[in-house]
Amino acid sequence: MSTKPEAELGRAADGRGVGERNEAAMPLRLTLANLSKSFDGTEVLHDISFDEDVRALAIIGPSGGGKSTLLRIIGGLEAPTCGTVSVDGRPIGTDEKSLRAYRATLGFVFQDSGLFHHMSALENVALPLRVVHEATPAAAEERARELLERLGLAEAAAKRPAQLSGGQKQRVAIARALAARPRLLLLDEPTSALDPEFTTEVLDVVRDLAEEGTRFIIVTHEMGFARRACDHVAFLSGGRLAEYGPSERIFEHPETPELQRLLSRLLEWSW
Ligand SMILES: Nc1ncnc2c1ncn2[C@@H]1O[C@H](COP(=O)(O)OP(=O)(O)OP(=O)(O)O)[C@@H](O)[C@H]1O
Ligand SMILES: [Mg+2]
């Protein structure tokens, strides 16, 4: 396999900071056109259309409402039954080759950090850079160290996942997702398995990255985070996009009784 020197990872060319992108101020245009998804004949997403600039988008809603399924479709991990996803005006494609290329432009963080248990934090972050993005070992390691330091994990670099706290593991997972400077970070309940103190630690990191220009879509039940750190919120309920708008509007003036109920319940438990 050929390897790419550091400059080709886009690192040295412009002196950007760790989580930053050149087009930091630029949103990404996400267009969902009549998306539906069925599993075994049961439709779990119904005709979802959405065409917006995304910087920091929260997807909220009751359990089973289709949030993870929608995020996975946006990320090219799951195929919709009908409809299309386009990013910056380009459909993401349906064949495995285009989907693989598309997925490589994104960063994913899930509920479970999904780290390799037999590798150090540093190796967990550097590995995909070498294997997926063909970075040289030296460039991959340098980038991994830089990210771990940025996320407050310099001391954790040599440790294996079993030696890390839940919050540290999720921060390593975020570092890994950011390693190749994804154009969009997708996070599915990254804090739902964590104690409150670690939840805050992880969400603070996501908020800081967003302030530096990392674009993200997060599925979360942390309403305080959605309200303060996200500029837009999509409320998904029963497989439908029931409400969408600027977070201030969603939280100050929820329109559907369902969202009103959800917010009154969840705001008490907030980040
Ligand atoms: N692979 C699958 N096979 C069959 N049904 C599925 C599959 N994935 C999701 N579903 C169903 O689709 C619906 C939406 O699930 P999804 O996981 O997207 O909801 P969610 O909003 O993320 O819920 P939660 O907040 O509990 O994570 C549920 O009824 C679920 O059982
Ligand atoms: Mg889910």
Side-chain angles (χ1 to χ4, degrees), residues 97-265:
K97 191 170 170 227
S98 352
L99 283 172
R100 208 177 311 126
Y102 168 66
R103 288 193 290 258
T105 69
L106 307 175
F108 296 92
V109 180
F110 300 103
Q111 193 171 344
D112 174 338
S113 67
L115 299 176
F116 292 115
H117 297 293
H118 59 293
M119 290 183 188
S120 68
L122 185 78
E123 288 164 336
N124 265 286
V125 179
L127 183 77
L129 282 176
R130 294 200 308 269
V131 174
V132 182
H133 300 281
E134 301 177 11
T136 61
E141 184 177 327
E142 188 186 336
R143 173 80 178 140
R145 280 196 194 284
E146 182 189 334
L147 271 165
L148 290 176
E149 194 171 316
R150 163 69 186 80
L151 300 192
L153 292 162
E155 311 287 301
K159 294 188 178 167
R160 293 185 181 199
Q163 299 169 297
L164 301 174
S165 73
Q168 286 174 321
K169 276 190 273 203
Q170 283 303 62
R171 285 187 285 142
V172 174
I174 292 172
R176 182 179 56 181
L178 287 171
R181 300 182 189 280
R183 56 179 167 166
L184 181 66
L185 192 60
L186 299 177
L187 306 107
D188 192 352
E189 297 201 48
T191 61
S192 61
L194 303 179
D195 291 339
E197 59 183 303
F198 298 136
T199 294
T200 306
E201 160 189 311
V202 170
L203 293 179
D204 282 347
V205 159
V206 179
R207 185 211 38 216
D208 291 350
L209 291 168
E211 283 173 1
E212 290 172 7
T214 301
R215 297 173 295 208
F216 70 90
I217 303 178
I218 187 169
V219 171
T220 186
H221 291 288
E222 299 291 334
M223 294 299 124
F225 178 78
R227 182 180 200 156
R228 292 202 293 279
C230 300
D231 52 30
H232 281 74
V233 175
F235 172 53
L236 204 61
S237 178
R240 294 180 199 282
L241 186 57
E243 280 197 47
Y244 170 77
S247 36
E248 199 179 305
R249 204 281 293 155
I250 290 281
F251 287 102
E252 299 297 326
H253 306 288
E255 285 167 0
T256 53
E258 220 182 338
L259 179 57
Q260 290 164 3
R261 272 198 304 277
L262 181 87
L263 293 183
S264 62
R265 231 176 343 112

